[in-house]
Amino acid sequence: MSQHARVVALAGGVGGSRLAQGLARALPADALTVVVNTGDDLTHLGLRVCPDLDTLMYTLAGLGDRARGWGLADESFRAMEMVGRYGGPTWFALGDRDLGTHLARTTRLHAGASLTEVTAELCASLGVSTRLLPMTDGERRTFIDTQEGERLAFQDWLVGRRAAPRVSRVVREGQGQATCAVLAALDAADLVVLCPSNPYVSIDPIMELAGVRERVADTRCVALSPIVGGAAVKGPLGTMIPDLTGAPASAAAIARHYQGLLDGMVVEHGDAEGLTLPSLETRTVMGDEHDRERLARELLAFAAALP
Ligand code: FO1
């Protein structure tokens, strides 16, 4: 893989943003496009909120809150305190600075701009040179069917119910299609990287859009495992894998989920057990920016050396 490979990363929220930041540091600005899940998006308090796009944008801008993994650093929640005093919903916490993003995005969307256009405008304002592409400009939402028979909107399940209800099915609703920009980026890609996001609720929403899976299948593709030592680095994936597949959480379970798409997989030391495809074992739990860049460079070198 030459240094000026054209890389397209598919990403969701927290895990995806860390590898995306590493890739952005390891590649020239015009070499990386990140296609981002919008299945978590919601309209809340009248504002359009795009959690995964915002996590990616804030992380790439160096403005993200490192402890939470989402939202902005140096955040306060005084507007939410007032919302609460009026009896409004406080279960989904919108920080005061974060509200600025939702206000700006919602205003532009109401003016007729597409989510793709608005994302490019917000990124330019924050000095993010990596191209972030929402997977669709249309409606495409993830719902969780629980084993108790409820159907919950994604954030209601993840945040509202703390991802406690065990999952029986992950369901997508809406007619949104992959944007032309996403399909064109995939057509031009020398490498597709599946970031260590939740396959079921972050990567599948992108892969399921017409035209995406066949383009990924036609391109060299490498995944970074979101499962380390049988557990998820962050989020509900550790229980979703057994709930949805009956198998224990493992890198091999992730490889099986991406059946046929992967040319290689990067996993934590000791996690190559059961893998039947080329793999690189290394330290995959990402710390600071330098560590993220180190891992991204290892992944790119591993991908370049694949047959
Ligand atoms: N996650 C939480 O656990 N609690 C919250 O109150 C919360 C608010 C929130 C607001 C804006 C935003 O962009 C993300 C937010 N998240 C919150 C995280 C979000 O639910 C997840 O990051 C993604 O949906 C999963 O990738």
Side-chain angles (χ1 to χ4, degrees):
M1 191 76 50
S2 75
Q3 174 59 30
H4 297 290
R6 284 184 298 271
V7 177
V8 172
L10 305 191
V14 179
S17 64
R18 292 177 178 152
L19 179 60
Q21 185 180 46
L23 289 168
R25 294 167 66 97
L27 290 164
D30 60 353
L32 177 63
T33 296
V34 186
V35 177
V36 185
N37 169 48
T38 58
D40 296 3
D41 295 5
L42 72 164
T43 297
H44 188 65
L45 294 167
L47 298 173
R48 190 69 181 155
V49 178
C50 303
D52 287 353
L53 281 166
D54 291 345
T55 297
L56 261 294
M57 182 172 71
Y58 293 157
T59 301
L60 290 169
L63 297 173
D65 182 277
R66 299 184 70 84
R68 269 185 272 118
W70 51 269
L72 287 163
D74 310 322
E75 187 59 283
S76 56
F77 293 85
R78 309 211 42 206
M80 289 306 291
E81 284 165 25
M82 288 308 289
V83 167
R85 287 183 65 178
Y86 296 122
T90 56
W91 63 276
F92 194 74
L94 297 178
D96 297 322
R97 302 178 73 209
D98 193 33
L99 274 169
T101 303
H102 311 316
L103 290 165
R105 175 184 288 121
T106 303
T107 304
R108 288 290 297 130
L109 290 172
H110 286 176
S114 70
L115 185 58
T116 300
E117 289 164 340
V118 177
T119 302
E121 291 165 7
L122 298 177
C123 284
S125 299
L126 295 186
V128 174
S129 55
T130 300
R131 194 166 60 137
L132 293 188
L133 296 178
M135 68 184 195
T136 180
D137 285 332
E139 266 295 313
R140 189 83 178 140
R141 296 190 64 198
T142 296
F143 289 81
I144 300 290
D145 282 354
T146 72
Q147 292 178 4
E148 287 76 37
E150 297 174 278
R151 170 163 293 186
L152 300 174
F154 181 75
Q155 298 295 349
D156 289 339
W157 174 73
L158 181 75
V159 178
R161 306 281 281 277
R162 301 253 179 282
R166 302 304 285 256
V167 180
S168 67
R169 263 188 353 143
V170 177
V171 176
R172 218 80 58 207
E173 290 190 4
Q175 302 308 314
Q177 300 294 311
T179 65
C180 301
V182 164
L183 297 179
L186 288 168
D187 284 334
D190 305 296
L191 173 66
V192 173
V193 175
L194 303 188
C195 289
S197 302
N198 185 313
Y200 307 107
V201 296
S202 294
I203 304 296
D204 283 356
I206 304 171
M207 210 64 89
E208 290 164 1
L209 296 174
V212 173
R213 177 177 287 272
E214 58 254 40
R215 285 172 169 80
V216 174
D218 275 353
T219 310
R220 178 171 295 198
C221 180
V222 167
L224 172 60
S225 175
I227 294 291
V228 172
V233 175
K234 185 168 173 55
L237 182 57
T239 54
M240 289 181 80
I241 293 176
D243 285 353
L244 293 171
T245 69
S250 68
I254 299 294
R256 283 195 299 274
H257 183 76
Y258 293 133
Q259 191 61 40
L261 292 174
L262 297 183
D263 298 293
M265 192 167 198
V266 178
V267 300
E268 184 59 42
H269 288 295
D271 281 353
E273 170 97 18
L275 284 183
T276 58
L277 76 169
S279 61
L280 168 71
E281 288 189 66
T282 185
R283 191 160 50 82
T284 62
V285 180
M286 290 173 270
D288 62 10
E289 284 81 350
H290 303 288
D291 199 27
R292 296 171 184 185
E293 180 177 346
R294 183 262 322 152
L295 179 56
R297 288 190 185 282
E298 287 183 20
L299 182 148
L300 292 170
F302 166 69
L306 286 169

